[in-house]
Amino acid sequence: MLGAHPTPGGVVFRAFRPYALGVSVVVESVRTQLHDDGGGFFSGLLPLREVPAGYRLLVSYESAEHETEDAYRFLPAIGELDLHLINEGRHEELWRALGAEPMTHQGVTGTRFTVWAPNARGVRLAGTFNFWDGTGFPMRSLGSSGVWELFVPGIGEGELYKFEITRPDGSKTLRADPLARRTEVPPGTSSIVHASHHEWGDEEWLAKRAEIPAHEAPFSVYEVHLPSWRPGLTYRQLAEQLPAYVSDLGFTHVELLPVAEHPFGGSWGYQVTGFYAPTARLGTPDDFKYLVDALHRAGIGVLMDWVPAHFPRDDWALAEFDGRPLYEHEDPARAAHPDWGTLEFDYGRREVRNFLVANALYWCEEYHIDGLRVDAVASMLYLDYSREPGQWTPNEHGGRENLDAVAFLQEMNATVYRRVPGVVTIAEESTAWDGVTRATHHVGPGGFGGLGFGLKWNMGWMHDSLGYMSREPVHRKHHHNDMTFSMVYAYSENYVLPISHDEVVHGKGSLVSKMPGDWWQRRADHRAYLGFMWAHPGKQLLFMGQEFAQGTEWSEAHGPDWWLLDPAYGAEADHRGVRDLVRDLNTTYRRTPALWQRDTHPSGFSWITGDSADDNVLAFLRLAEDGTPLLAVSNFSPVVRQGYRLGVPDDTPAWHELLNTDAARYGGSDVTTPHPVKPEPRPWHGRPASIRVTLPPLATIWLRPA
């Protein structure tokens, strides 16, 4: 209807300009007044042979007159291939087709707005540029794709906007853009037109990150909640402090709690409304790129929590986006997440699956993210997750597996690994699902292909080992298997050992506060546990604040207790000692291939003693590809064990203490073994030789060939 159209007798011009007193068409230098048809419509027939290439509109209001381009003279600024791929659910760069894209179109600068709303009767564009009145900015429907589009000339970066959607029942709703690249600072909910101007400087990092697979490389992760790590810092201020801190402690990666925009800060980012926009609380999207760039240039990988399991019900976001269930499942019982009051995605709908797969790629390609830790995978995989009998419907085979979610995760992982070499995906999956880190084309005993993740959080190890450590040492011998059971299944998946934010909130206490005994014993246990964790097969993850034995549990309101490291504080040395240990653990770990080269292969591990329950002692060997060993021994009793005999291989002439968590510089009692220990030809623990070492109380020691 709107714009210029050839017709018998010339070209008809139609404009819809509510509140205008008059509208004229300007062709070259000729101005022609259009007829006022009422209701904001203006039209006129000009005796032209063809539609002029560059006409403009002169619009008169009570107080002003302005000349402007006619948005409806432009052809759609989205291609047929884009629409075809969207329809197929295969547009791997969806963010380039949907959302707000500043561009030059048919020689004119402006912004193309596109949105998927297949159930809408109509969609209009509202924003700062039209005083939030979308009446005069109806978008055009592009056929069966369900996509609505409008190129608006003269609109550029920084403009706020939303989509005004007319639902099937005729009611209207004002919605943020699901693919907005930038948002207002909460509690504001508008989308913002954005174009990136960041120039990356991390080419060297990107070139080398794919050289060694993550499961065969050193991988030690510092988990961070950016808004509270040092409260008040912006992305750019964090870029000045976080890389230096993480580099000093020797971690290979940081893992960021969800960065995507979310309305409620208390959700820590796990209830996302802006899947394509970094939270505006800390700065702009380019500011976030600056932070990632700074971490890469410091040699630190960046992992990001990603939340494709659910989304909140806010009425300006995704819930019943166009008046009917769209991103969520149409069955209310399937759509409602039983634990969090949120909505689950409809993984069986190809456009929704495309939205999420493209979102994973978006963070990896546009923000150079090195890995995605996928949250709440178990809640996606099982139809009966947190549901009672009668509250869920079996799949087509009568099982409880969510086949749509399985297919989505397989597609996401396969696509990410194909398009972005060097990126790793990590599953937070708390069940015994078979093949989480198996390739998608390898079918397992359950009949499913692998999910295709690179790594999986070992929630069982975390639960069992923390249960053991929380007990008084006198009782630990009765729970010794809590520390050894993980090796029964250690090679069933590629594991990360997580001491994450989830373990230090909501009344669970900090890591050091879980330990029994007095303050000295708690710190000793804390250090011994970290030494055991860094030596155990699997990668390591430690949440902020635990690296210096913060005594209080984490609160997003104030973050870590940095004052504990103030030299003016009387017990500062206690906390600094634990942080010094973490630094030495990471430094030694990275220099010791035995601790990471064969992390996922049984040949990289061998028990010395896993059954010394009465002594509270665990000892094992880690082995590099060339056979070079590291001997880790943990004494989880509060007594010094003099001359403790351990079986060892007979091909190592002497053993030297590499690390001791009881060293005085860490706050320990300094029971150390300063001189090399030579094996005796006395068989022990099934080994041809043995050594006698003094085991410090509540401590872990690492020994290497001298």
Side-chain angles (χ1 to χ4, degrees), residues 202-220:
D202 62 350
E203 297 83 3
E204 184 179 348
W205 170 267
L206 296 181
K208 73 175 185 179
R209 72 177 179 182
E211 291 177 357
I212 305 175
H215 61 280
E216 297 176 356
F219 198 91
S220 175

Side-chain angles (χ1 to χ4, degrees), residues 58-109:
L58 192 63
V59 187
S60 302
Y61 296 98
E62 283 187 4
S63 58
E65 183 177 74
H66 71 97
E67 189 172 325
T68 181
E69 294 281 358
D70 182 5
Y72 301 96
R73 82 170 179 84
F74 297 92
L75 295 171
I78 182 172
E80 289 295 326
L81 178 59
D82 287 314
L83 295 175
H84 172 75
L85 292 173
I86 290 170
N87 218 29
E88 291 285 314
R90 296 289 180 183
H91 203 308
E92 294 179 357
E93 297 181 353
L94 189 66
W95 65 93
R96 302 189 191 281
L98 298 181
E101 185 74 18
M103 59 169 54
T104 298
H105 181 47
Q106 294 178 213
V108 176
T109 58

Side-chain angles (χ1 to χ4, degrees), residues 115-116 163 176-180 191 273-276 317-318 321 327 355:
V115 63
W116 178 60
F163 297 114
D177 183 357
L179 278 96
S191 305
T273 48
F275 281 81
Y276 284 78
L318 295 183
F321 181 75
Y327 289 91
F355 174 82

Side-chain angles (χ1 to χ4, degrees), residues 198-242:
H198 179 74
E199 295 184 6
W200 290 95
D202 62 350
E203 297 83 3
E204 184 179 348
W205 170 267
L206 296 181
K208 73 175 185 179
R209 72 177 179 182
E211 291 177 357
I212 305 175
H215 61 280
E216 297 176 356
F219 198 91
S220 175
V221 183
Y222 183 61
E223 189 186 31
V224 178
H225 178 248
L226 284 178
S228 70
W229 184 68
R230 286 185 176 156
L233 297 190
T234 65
Y235 290 129
R236 289 185 180 266
Q237 291 168 332
L238 284 163
E240 302 304 315
Q241 298 188 32
L242 185 60

Side-chain angles (χ1 to χ4, degrees), residues 30-311:
V30 179
R31 170 178 170 177
T32 304
Q33 181 87 19
L34 298 182
H35 180 263
D36 186 347
D37 298 325
F41 284 96
F42 299 84
S43 66
L45 179 65
L46 275 65
L48 301 172
R49 294 181 179 178
E50 58 185 17
V51 175
Y55 73 88
R56 297 172 68 83
L57 298 179
L58 192 63
V59 187
S60 302
Y61 296 98
E62 283 187 4
S63 58
E65 183 177 74
H66 71 97
E67 189 172 325
T68 181
E69 294 281 358
D70 182 5
Y72 301 96
R73 82 170 179 84
F74 297 92
L75 295 171
I78 182 172
E80 289 295 326
L81 178 59
D82 287 314
L83 295 175
H84 172 75
L85 292 173
I86 290 170
N87 218 29
E88 291 285 314
R90 296 289 180 183
H91 203 308
E92 294 179 357
E93 297 181 353
L94 189 66
W95 65 93
R96 302 189 191 281
L98 298 181
E101 185 74 18
M103 59 169 54
T104 298
H105 181 47
Q106 294 178 213
V108 176
T109 58
T111 298
R112 180 201 67 199
F113 295 89
T114 42
V115 63
W116 178 60
N119 297 310
R121 287 175 57 181
V123 181
R124 301 192 292 196
L125 186 65
T128 47
F129 44 87
N130 60 13
F131 305 100
W132 294 100
D133 185 343
T135 308
F137 287 76
M139 301 175 71
R140 59 163 69 92
S141 172
L142 300 182
S144 62
S145 65
V147 173
W148 300 75
E149 182 268 355
L150 185 66
F151 173 76
V152 183
I155 299 300
E157 297 176 50
E159 296 279 5
L160 276 60
Y161 70 98
K162 282 186 177 180
F163 297 114
E164 182 190 279
I165 295 174
T166 302
R167 301 182 179 104
D169 64 2
S171 63
K172 290 180 170 55
T173 178
L174 198 60
R175 298 291 175 137
D177 183 357
L179 278 96
R181 265 79 91 195
R182 184 181 173 193
T183 66
E184 272 192 295
V185 178
T189 59
S190 296
S191 305
I192 301 178
V193 178
H194 171 73
S196 179
H197 301 284
H198 179 74
E199 295 184 6
W200 290 95
D202 62 350
E203 297 83 3
E204 184 179 348
W205 170 267
L206 296 181
K208 73 175 185 179
R209 72 177 179 182
E211 291 177 357
I212 305 175
H215 61 280
E216 297 176 356
F219 198 91
S220 175
V221 183
Y222 183 61
E223 189 186 31
V224 178
H225 178 248
L226 284 178
S228 70
W229 184 68
R230 286 185 176 156
L233 297 190
T234 65
Y235 290 129
R236 289 185 180 266
Q237 291 168 332
L238 284 163
E240 302 304 315
Q241 298 188 32
L242 185 60
Y245 183 80
V246 177
S247 292
D248 175 63
L249 289 184
F251 288 97
T252 65
H253 291 74
V254 294
E255 180 176 313
L256 310 178
L257 269 63
V259 173
E261 193 59 272
H262 49 284
F264 176 51
S267 78
W268 314 328
Y270 288 97
Q271 296 197 8
V272 178
T273 48
F275 281 81
Y276 284 78
T279 179
R281 293 170 173 85
L282 308 182
T284 68
D286 277 3
D287 293 340
F288 179 58
K289 288 182 177 180
Y290 183 87
L291 171 59
V292 175
D293 210 350
L295 286 161
H296 282 172
R297 285 184 277 110
I300 300 162
V302 182
L303 313 175
M304 187 186 84
D305 277 15
W306 185 56
V307 192
H310 63 125
F311 58 92

